[in-house]
Amino acid sequence: MKHRIAMRKLGRSSSHRKSMLKTMVSQLLRYERIETTVAKAKELRRLADKVVTIAKENNLHARRKAAEIVRGDDVMHKLFTEIAERYKHRQGGYTRVLQTGQRPNDAAHMAVIEYIDRPGEMRPARPPKVNPLLPQAAQAAVRSADQPPR
């Protein structure tokens, strides 16, 4: 049974795994779309979403917490200016994992992980779901709250 198993091991030691995921988060922030294996993409999604949530606070403590994960001053600047600003009205779910096929040499299942709501994304984001039991005024408020101001 897999009770209380926190994350995938990815066939690496803990220090190698942490280092690899930090590098992948930094590369994802820099290029906003990377291709990797499905297992790595699913683990990367957890860490990438946490970094964006930290960046939305935009204070000194948040910058220090993000600096533990993100590598590079240019990437830190992009995280706190562009990325945090883009997702300030979204409550989680900043990344998307799309499976692309198999790698030719070892048949590993590959996936593309990307940030959503950006120019050049592979698939547009879905509109927010509205509870049909809410009154019409409340449904309109939910729709307008999810849309960023223009």
Side-chain angles (χ1 to χ4, degrees):
M1 288 185 272
K2 292 189 61 141
H3 296 293
R4 297 182 62 170
I5 303 298
M7 64 186 309
R8 294 170 181 84
K9 295 187 188 239
L10 303 173
R12 289 159 173 79
S13 64
S14 62
S15 60
H16 185 191
R17 182 174 54 247
K18 289 174 189 173
S19 177
M20 179 189 65
L21 288 173
K22 288 177 184 181
T23 301
M24 290 177 76
V25 166
S26 301
Q27 295 300 313
L28 180 62
L29 287 167
R30 177 173 286 137
Y31 300 111
E32 297 192 15
R33 177 192 299 156
I34 58 174
E35 185 174 13
T36 183
T37 62
V38 173
K40 287 179 192 171
K42 288 180 179 180
E43 280 304 310
L44 177 61
R45 176 177 52 191
R46 295 173 62 197
L47 196 56
D49 284 352
K50 285 180 185 178
V51 168
V52 174
T53 303
I54 290 170
K56 285 168 56 174
E57 296 174 19
N58 198 13
N59 55 27
L60 180 62
H61 181 64
R63 286 184 180 272
R64 289 179 175 165
K65 284 179 72 171
E68 293 176 359
I69 300 169
V70 176
R71 296 178 174 169
D73 293 335
D74 56 335
V75 179
M76 280 286 290
H77 179 73
K78 182 177 181 179
L79 172 64
F80 278 90
T81 55
E82 295 176 28
I83 306 282
E85 185 67 26
R86 183 187 309 160
Y87 298 119
K88 68 180 178 182
H89 295 293
R90 179 178 280 275
Q91 298 177 356
Y94 312 112
T95 55
R96 169 189 303 130
V97 176
L98 297 171
Q99 296 188 19
T100 58
Q102 291 183 330
R103 192 162 46 198
N105 59 351
D106 63 352
H109 295 282
M110 300 298 288
V112 171
I113 181 168
E114 67 176 357
Y115 281 109
I116 62 172
D117 292 339
R118 67 177 186 86
E121 62 184 338
M122 295 182 79
R123 186 181 59 140
R126 293 186 194 130
K129 293 182 181 178
V130 179
N131 186 351
L133 301 177
L134 289 175
Q136 293 295 330
Q139 289 181 9
V142 169
R143 283 191 201 103
S144 65
D146 287 336
Q147 298 298 324
R150 297 194 184 259

